[in-house]
Amino acid sequence: MPYHSAIILPMTVKELILKKIERQGSVRSSDILKETNITRQTLAQHFRELIKQGAILKFGATKNAYYTKPGKNIKREPEFKKTKRLKGLDEDLLFNEVEQSLSLKTRLSDQAYKILRYAFTEMVNNAIEHSQAKSASVWVHLDHDLIGFCVKDRGIGVFENIRQKFKLNDQREAIDLLLKGKQTTSPKGHSGEGIFFTSRISDDFALHSHGLSFEVENHKQHDMFVSELPQREKVKGTSVVFSIKQKTRKNLKELFDQFTVTDATFDKTHIELRLIKKEGAFVSRSEAKRLLYGLDSFRWITIDFKNMTGIGQAFADEVFRVFQNHYPDIRLEAVNMSDTVRFMIERAKNTTLQ
């Protein structure tokens, strides 16, 4: 019988954790979340308390972590763990070093190998080019049926770097910019596509910097979360975590094709408004202008109104009349609209130019 949050007390959650460890040897966060409706943050607190009590041990990092009781005979999976100076570092040569150390070609499917190489080199290159740090720690590990990596530096921080370069108000606006794709603080040497595509091809992806967390889950469906980190988990610099199944059937080219209209160019994007604004509706013309910033480089823009109950007339007018009239060759698509949102959009489209 599944457990429900309405009847689970804090100790009952801990008992469930210990019971599952006793039964199967180890447990992951996902095992507990499937049987409860508690949040990840609440579950993480339960795990921390059990670790502090000495009742369990933690292996791995973030969502790939698993927990077991002290004394359990847990087989340690192969891993690569080093700290590298970033000056003069070549991300491709570093990946070759990882590949040889872990025999990746014999362990991974061809698709998993290609995806890992792309994601790893993109994230290491970000640390080299943008972090302003002297060094970065790299950890690659095989864990049950997953392959994952973590790249961590103590530099300026990915969100703060974007905030400064684009003169944004805060780091949350930097995340909004990242979600669009094609945004880079170094346009001469970078396309701004790395984090966008790496997060979408992963099974799990997390980007932690200072007090903010951007997480992506691509299991049965694509889902993203933006949240504030607890004080004890705040990261100085940037920590990026990626994982994918060792025998995945995902295809990197198919992902690229989803965001390509013509000529193998990244010219299509998908904006989820619920990630940009957690409460209230998009109302003003200034909010619309912030949303549209940088989107004129795309040929197809999909704006997702999932969970948005309404929008303001000024917002709708700026996006669906003013912007569309200014860029008539851009395909502007609205999806998952409520009746209220649909009405406001249609009204804006049908407004006669003054």
Side-chain angles (χ1 to χ4, degrees):
M1 179 182 293
Y3 292 79
H4 299 283
S5 61
I7 59 173
I8 286 185
L9 298 174
M11 273 306 298
T12 308
V13 175
K14 292 187 179 69
E15 289 171 356
L16 176 61
I17 293 170
L18 295 174
K19 181 179 179 181
K20 281 191 167 292
I21 291 176
E22 192 63 40
R23 183 187 306 160
Q24 59 195 43
S26 64
V27 70
R28 296 176 182 272
S29 295
S30 57
D31 297 330
I32 305 301
L33 291 171
K34 288 176 184 176
E35 301 193 22
T36 70
N37 291 325
I38 62 176
T39 66
R40 289 185 181 276
Q41 291 80 3
T42 300
L43 179 57
Q45 181 61 34
H46 290 307
F47 278 127
R48 282 194 293 267
E49 290 173 1
L50 286 171
I51 292 171
K52 188 175 181 180
Q53 295 167 10
I56 63 174
L57 296 174
K58 178 181 178 181
F59 294 87
T62 65
K63 293 179 185 177
N64 292 326
Y66 60 96
Y67 304 82
T68 186
K69 283 187 176 181
K72 286 282 183 181
N73 185 22
I74 297 294
K75 179 183 177 182
R76 297 301 301 269
E77 300 288 352
E79 64 178 11
F80 175 96
K81 201 169 188 178
K82 287 190 177 181
T83 298
K84 293 283 188 176
R85 286 187 58 82
L86 294 177
K87 186 177 181 179
L89 182 64
D90 185 308
E91 63 271 18
D92 290 301
L93 294 180
L94 178 58
F95 182 82
N96 291 343
E97 186 179 345
V98 173
E99 193 280 322
Q100 293 173 14
S101 173
L102 299 179
S103 303
L104 294 180
K105 285 187 177 180
T106 63
R107 296 176 182 271
L108 307 182
S109 67
D110 184 55
Q111 295 296 348
Y113 180 84
K114 290 177 180 178
I115 290 169
L116 183 71
R117 185 180 193 102
Y118 171 82
F120 180 86
T121 54
E122 285 287 340
M123 296 304 98
V124 172
N125 182 263
N126 277 352
I128 294 170
E129 300 289 342
H130 302 299
S131 73
Q132 302 177 31
K134 292 182 178 180
S135 63
S137 61
V138 176
W139 178 44
V140 185
H141 58 103
L142 293 123
D143 184 3
H144 298 289
D145 63 338
L146 298 174
I147 176 76
F149 69 79
C150 175
V151 179
K152 184 181 294 186
D153 66 70
R154 295 176 65 82
I156 186 174
V158 56
F159 307 138
E160 178 59 18
N161 189 34
I162 293 171
R163 186 198 70 77
Q164 291 185 16
K165 293 292 175 65
F166 288 95
K167 297 180 172 58
L168 304 176
N169 293 321
D170 56 43
Q171 293 185 17
R172 279 188 174 271
E173 288 189 10
I175 296 178
D176 299 343
L177 208 58
L178 271 179
L179 293 175
K180 299 173 184 178
K182 258 188 180 180
Q183 308 301 319
T184 176
T185 58
S186 181
K188 289 185 179 181
H190 295 269
S191 63
E193 302 173 8
I195 291 176
F196 183 88
F197 284 122
T198 297
S199 67
R200 287 177 178 266
I201 198 64
S202 68
D203 286 344
D204 288 294
F205 176 87
L207 195 59
H208 303 310
S209 184
H210 298 289
L212 287 179
S213 170
F214 168 54
E215 300 183 42
V216 180
E217 291 183 355
N218 297 303
H219 298 283
K220 292 183 179 179
Q221 62 182 15
H222 173 72
D223 212 349
M224 294 186 281
F225 310 89
V226 178
S227 61
E228 292 186 8
L229 292 169
Q231 183 64 37
R232 72 184 71 186
E233 295 181 15
K234 288 185 177 181
V235 175
K236 177 177 173 55
T238 302
S239 172
V240 56
V241 180
F242 173 97
S243 70
I244 197 165
K245 282 187 170 58
Q246 294 178 26
K247 304 299 181 182
T248 188
R249 295 182 179 179
K250 289 183 178 182
N251 187 295
L252 198 54
K253 183 180 181 302
E254 290 178 1
L255 175 68
F256 292 155
D257 288 346
Q258 291 177 29
F259 294 91
T260 300
V261 179
T262 56
D263 304 326
T265 302
F266 176 31
D267 50 9
K268 182 178 179 182
T269 192
H270 186 114
I271 310 297
E272 297 186 54
L273 295 186
R274 65 190 178 86
L275 296 173
I276 298 175
K277 192 167 187 176
K278 292 297 186 182
E279 297 180 358
F282 285 85
V283 175
S284 69
R285 202 169 293 275
S286 62
E287 287 178 310
K289 290 178 179 178
R290 285 197 297 272
L291 172 71
L292 295 167
Y293 179 81
L295 292 181
D296 55 318
S297 62
F298 292 94
R299 297 185 63 180
W300 186 339
I301 303 166
T302 300
I303 301 179
D304 194 333
F305 287 89
K306 182 179 180 180
N307 298 339
M308 303 299 297
T309 57
I311 55 174
Q313 183 273 330
F315 177 87
D317 184 70
E318 184 67 30
V319 175
F320 293 97
R321 184 182 68 84
V322 177
F323 179 84
Q324 186 69 91
N325 287 334
H326 193 68
Y327 299 101
D329 293 332
I330 293 178
R331 177 172 176 177
L332 192 57
E333 177 184 45
V335 299
N336 294 325
M337 296 172 285
S338 68
D339 290 340
T340 302
V341 169
R342 187 185 303 276
F343 172 79
M344 295 302 292
I345 291 175
E346 292 302 319
R347 182 183 178 189
K349 288 180 176 179
N350 294 327
T351 299
T352 303
L353 285 171
Q354 300 297 319

